[in-house]
Amino acid sequence: MKITILGSGTSTGIPMVGCHCPVCSSTDPHDKRTRASLLIEIEGKYLLIDTSPDLRRQALRHRIPHIDAVLLTHPHADHINGIDDLRGFHFIHRRVVPCYGSSETMKAVRRNFSYIFRGHEVPGYAPLLEPHVIHEPFALFGRRIMPIHLYHGTMSATGYRIGAAAYLTDCSRIPESSFALLEGLDLLIIDGLRYTPHENHFNIEGALGVVKRLQPRRAVLTHLTHEVSHADGDRLPAGVELAYDGMELLV
């Protein structure tokens, strides 16, 4: 299973509009971050987690040939507003792709992007996605997909575990019942927004606390703001890294 971090940035992206701080002005390509999303390749199938507003750019950069399923973590704009960019794949392959998320997420996405799921009653506007509300583990491409309940501030969000890998973006608290589902990980990709506290996200200290508890073989902090330079990764504990756009991980 190959995992590509398509986007490692927070909702503003990095560089942030109007900002000239050291990270936004950095010449290190690892400090150029698009909005958070993930691609998983499983035996020729492409599974996308979240449809970032930068999806078109990400798909072109990584030459993604098709998308076979979409998982959604929550309905905030920086995670779903690129959903229309799936149309390009549909024009080529003419397939309606399954899309999975919690009842709250699917309700919001279907309300805001109803045409994505039902199309229009005119030629050329066919449905792109088939909605599936998930409450428990399900099978996809021969793999068990386990939704992980998270808290993103006061709202619920969904992380995903696939085999020995877990992706927990946009979270500030993990319920005890979810910790039990995250034991024995080879790879943990987790929200580590910035150094200063934030009520809706783990900061780096909080993320490291989760890593210490779960003890995955490898941990990657993502959804990063301009408080965090990629060079700061040298100061992290052994086995913990900062994400960057295009980072590839094999599990």
Side-chain angles (χ1 to χ4, degrees), residues 169-200:
T169 187
D170 284 56
C171 55
S172 55
R173 183 166 68 88
I174 302 174
E176 284 300 317
S177 57
S178 294
F179 269 113
L181 304 176
L182 294 168
E183 297 177 352
L185 292 173
D186 287 338
L187 174 65
L188 172 64
I189 305 173
I190 186 169
D191 186 357
L193 188 72
R194 63 191 193 189
Y195 296 107
T196 52
H198 193 288
E199 61 185 8
N200 297 322

